[in-house]
Amino acid sequence: MDGSLAGAPGRHRRTALVTGGGRGLGFEVARALAEQGAHVVLACRSTERGRAAAARIGGRTDVVHLDLASLDSVRRAAAEVVDRYERLDLLVNNAGVMFPSRRRTEDGFEPHFGVNHLGHFALTGLLLCLMRQVPGSRVVTVASLAHRVGAGPLDETRARAADGHRSLAAYGRSKRANLLFARELQHRLAGSGAETVSVAAHPGLSATELWQGQTPAWLRPVSRGALHLLAQPPVRAALPVLRAATDTLLPGGSYLGPGERFESRGAPAPAASSRASRDALAQVRLWELSTALTGVTYGPSPSRSRADGPPAPAGR
């Protein structure tokens, strides 16, 4: 695959939903999919921003209001999508927060965990009815290099903490949760005979609006230096996500990222991830916790012994 979004395989005559598609990485992914002929749905917290983005993208582009910090909003958005569309070929779980101002979500969750993981867990579960029987359909979950710094357990205490909104560790835990979720979802989809597959990708380093939150003072010089030396523009940072979304040869369980400079930039390639993000027991425990906290169930799924190893991902 070359270094431009125009060189990506297409999604002609298919429907794709991109969370956070109104700006940054999500906008670039949505625009590329639309250019390749997809019917794109932008799921955005700000419908005004979403409509402006849809006008810039053109083609068949719709907007749905989605606030991942509210499970009520997630349910309303999913109900609207199910009502409006007969099928969904692609779900890109892209939207996220980093160092937000709020201490908890509407439902009382630490905001990184609530928005980046629980909101997407609920949304995916509510939309799978449009995907399970669609050949070639896939869920793409956007992770981060920061998953490696997410120390600490993923439990209900952490999920409801009030001191994580300006914590790099809390952000990292939410991105570890993204990877655990993507891998457990693939295990369950494969075991249930669904047509849908689950893959993950990360963009490396890119100076998107995600960095415009209330970054802790100690991290600001570090982040400025890293972004200056290693970051790539959103149009290139979107490439691993776009390939994960469109490469029909990519098997379920794959994880992609930029292939150069410690995975900070470059063309898409298989990405490495921490041992903690590949822990099969942690995948099951997070799934059970997420089901309990959101009230969203995915229906019958294959059981997995807690002694089983993790599903074998493509790449490293």
Side-chain angles (χ1 to χ4, degrees):
M1 183 176 185
D2 67 19
S4 70
L5 293 176
R11 295 277 92 182
H12 295 288
R13 297 178 299 278
R14 296 193 173 189
T15 301
L17 187 147
V18 182
T19 68
R23 61 183 180 180
L25 185 74
F27 173 81
E28 298 298 344
V29 171
R31 178 167 63 178
L33 292 170
E35 287 175 351
Q36 296 298 318
H39 182 176
V40 178
V41 182
L42 306 179
C44 303
R45 184 168 59 89
S46 168
T47 52
E48 181 179 356
R49 182 185 295 120
R51 286 192 291 267
R56 291 172 61 195
I57 291 171
R60 296 180 299 159
T61 307
D62 300 330
V63 178
V64 169
H65 177 255
L66 170 67
D67 182 357
L68 290 164
S70 164
L71 290 175
D72 282 346
S73 176
V74 171
R75 291 182 182 277
R76 287 193 298 270
E80 181 178 351
V81 172
V82 170
D83 183 62
R84 289 171 61 176
Y85 306 101
E86 295 182 355
R87 58 184 274 170
L88 187 62
D89 299 83
L90 173 64
L91 171 60
V92 182
N93 289 326
N94 159 79
V97 295
M98 184 166 64
F99 312 132
S101 58
R102 69 174 74 186
R103 289 181 176 271
R104 287 193 176 100
T105 68
E106 178 181 293
D107 304 284
F109 302 123
E110 188 280 309
H112 294 105
F113 189 75
V115 172
N116 299 351
H117 169 63
L118 289 177
H120 282 126
F121 177 90
L123 180 69
T124 302
L126 295 168
L127 293 181
L128 272 181
C129 59
L130 298 180
M131 305 183 73
R132 286 183 181 273
Q133 304 305 318
V134 178
S137 58
R138 62 182 51 205
V139 178
V140 180
T141 300
V142 179
S144 169
L145 287 168
H147 82 272
R148 294 181 177 278
V149 301
L154 291 165
D155 55 21
E156 186 166 359
T157 299
R158 297 275 190 180
R160 297 189 183 278
D163 60 352
H165 64 301
R166 299 190 65 187
S167 166
L168 180 60
Y171 174 72
R173 281 192 295 272
S174 75
K175 304 316 287 184
R176 171 157 53 96
N178 288 157
L179 282 174
L180 291 169
F181 163 67
R183 286 167 170 152
E184 181 65 12
L185 177 60
Q186 172 58 26
H187 172 79
R188 291 171 181 253
L189 289 170
S192 66
E195 296 282 353
T196 311
V197 299
S198 170
V199 296
H202 77 84
L205 286 178
S206 182
T208 65
E209 292 185 30
L210 189 66
W211 288 93
Q212 295 183 9
Q214 297 185 23
T215 308
W218 68 267
L219 185 58
R220 290 170 193 163
V222 178
S223 62
R224 282 196 298 266
L227 290 173
H228 176 72
L229 294 173
L230 300 173
Q232 55 187 353
V235 69
R236 289 191 59 82
L239 286 171
V241 179
L242 185 63
R243 181 174 174 186
T246 59
D247 187 345
T248 58
L249 299 179
L250 197 67
S254 297
Y255 180 40
L256 298 179
E260 302 172 15
R261 297 190 186 180
F262 309 103
E263 297 186 10
S264 66
R265 60 186 301 155
S273 66
S274 67
R275 178 177 297 181
S277 73
R278 304 192 304 273
D279 186 322
L281 178 55
Q283 292 167 26
V284 173
R285 285 176 171 168
L286 176 65
W287 193 278
E288 293 171 348
L289 174 65
S290 303
T291 299
L293 294 179
T294 65
V296 174
T297 59
Y298 280 57
S301 299
S303 61
R304 172 157 65 189
S305 166
R306 296 200 170 197
D308 287 351
R316 295 169 282 170

